[in-house]
Amino acid sequence: MRYFSWLAGMLQGDFGTSFASHLPVLQLVAQRIPATFELAAITPLICVPLALIIGIIAAMNRGSRLDRVLVIGTMATVAVPEFLVATVAVLIFAVKLHWVSAMSFGSPDSDLLSYLKAYALPVLTLCCVLVAQMARMTRAAIINQLDSHYLEMALLKGVSPLRAVLRHALPNAVGPIANAISLSLSYLFGGVIIIETIFSYPGLASQLVDAVSNRDLPVVQLCVMLFAACYLVLLLAADVLTIAFNPKWRSA
């Protein structure tokens, strides 16, 4: 009954009152949303191009020593949990080298250097896992296209391997790659919970952790709903990209 009462209030724009602070939940959550979405926006801008480059290079050199190194490296990175990556990054870059702070309180009002230092470790930790996952899936999708007859014909006609991959293989592999990227980025909204907690980042995920600790149910409900909505939007974006780059699916 409490859930249905909350659902009815949500449809009217009323998300309830926090049990801990006795303030409107929407007001509390709205203060944290920009920080989390800023972190979630910066990370793909770095990891998606990097993953595409690594996956394409590995696919074009499959079976070579470089390919084996990249495959083993990505497998090892995927196997390492993000909290371990974050801990090692803090020990190296914050404790030993003193390049950055172990605490992240970046703000658009701060200077550029402080801004970069604040986001360096959280973005680095998230990128380590995301790049490895997306690079492996990109490599598999490109190799699948490299084995097709149309690409063999293009190479026989004298098209350079790089041009064949970028002009022919990559557009046809956009569907699987887009789904891989969307699934990897959907992990971002789960991994960001651990990252924000470790680096004391003032975002939505850390607020969710605090709300769970305080048993602040209205805050938990709204945070979970927002994360679920972002997950669905990413899946929808992947389907739209797949249809946009594959004309055959438009008439299906």
Side-chain angles (χ1 to χ4, degrees):
M1 293 301 296
R2 180 184 296 176
Y3 170 72
F4 284 113
S5 175
W6 173 84
L7 190 62
M10 183 197 70
L11 296 176
Q12 300 174 10
D14 180 14
F15 294 91
T17 303
S18 170
F19 293 163
S21 64
H22 305 290
L23 293 174
V25 173
L26 187 60
Q27 177 184 339
L28 293 174
V29 172
Q31 296 173 355
R32 299 290 193 100
I33 289 177
T36 292
F37 277 87
E38 194 171 356
L39 179 61
I42 293 174
T43 302
L45 292 177
I46 298 174
C47 66
V48 171
L50 187 58
L52 290 176
I53 292 172
I54 294 175
I56 291 173
I57 292 175
M60 293 181 63
N61 297 275
R62 58 175 170 172
S64 65
R65 182 176 300 178
L66 176 61
D67 180 36
R68 289 194 292 270
V69 169
L70 293 176
V71 169
I72 293 174
T74 53
M75 289 179 63
T77 306
V78 170
V80 179
E82 60 273 3
F83 68 85
L84 180 58
V85 176
T87 304
V88 172
V90 168
L91 289 175
I92 294 176
F93 297 106
V95 178
K96 296 293 184 182
L97 299 177
H98 301 287
W99 288 356
V100 294
S101 172
M103 312 290 281
S104 294
F105 297 99
S107 165
D109 299 328
S110 61
D111 61 279
L112 180 60
L113 183 59
S114 301
Y115 192 75
L116 294 176
K117 286 183 177 181
Y119 281 94
L121 291 184
V123 172
L124 173 65
T125 305
L126 290 171
C127 282
C128 283
V129 180
L130 291 176
V131 167
Q133 292 177 343
M134 289 187 286
R136 285 168 51 82
M137 296 179 184
T138 300
R139 175 185 178 274
I142 295 296
I143 287 179
N144 185 45
Q145 296 298 322
L146 290 175
D147 292 335
S148 60
H149 296 298
Y150 78 90
L151 203 63
E152 292 179 2
M153 180 62 67
L155 294 173
L156 290 174
K157 289 183 176 181
V159 178
S160 65
L162 180 61
R163 182 180 176 84
V165 169
L166 297 179
R167 189 71 180 272
H168 301 287
L170 187 58
N172 287 289
V174 162
I177 292 175
N179 282 308
I181 291 175
S182 66
L183 291 174
S184 298
L185 292 181
S186 63
Y187 155 83
L188 177 65
F189 292 99
V192 76
I193 297 176
I194 299 175
I195 300 306
E196 288 190 7
T197 304
I198 292 176
F199 294 108
S200 300
Y201 187 83
L204 187 63
S206 59
Q207 187 178 47
L208 173 61
V209 174
D210 293 338
V212 171
S213 301
N214 297 327
R215 301 191 179 187
D216 197 348
L217 182 60
V219 176
V220 173
Q221 287 174 310
L222 182 54
C223 290
V224 171
M225 187 194 72
L226 290 175
F227 282 124
C230 293
Y231 179 80
L232 294 176
V233 168
L234 286 173
L235 294 182
L236 178 61
D239 291 339
V240 171
L241 286 175
T242 302
I243 295 173
F245 282 91
N246 196 333
K248 182 175 64 177
W249 285 32
R250 298 175 193 172
S251 57

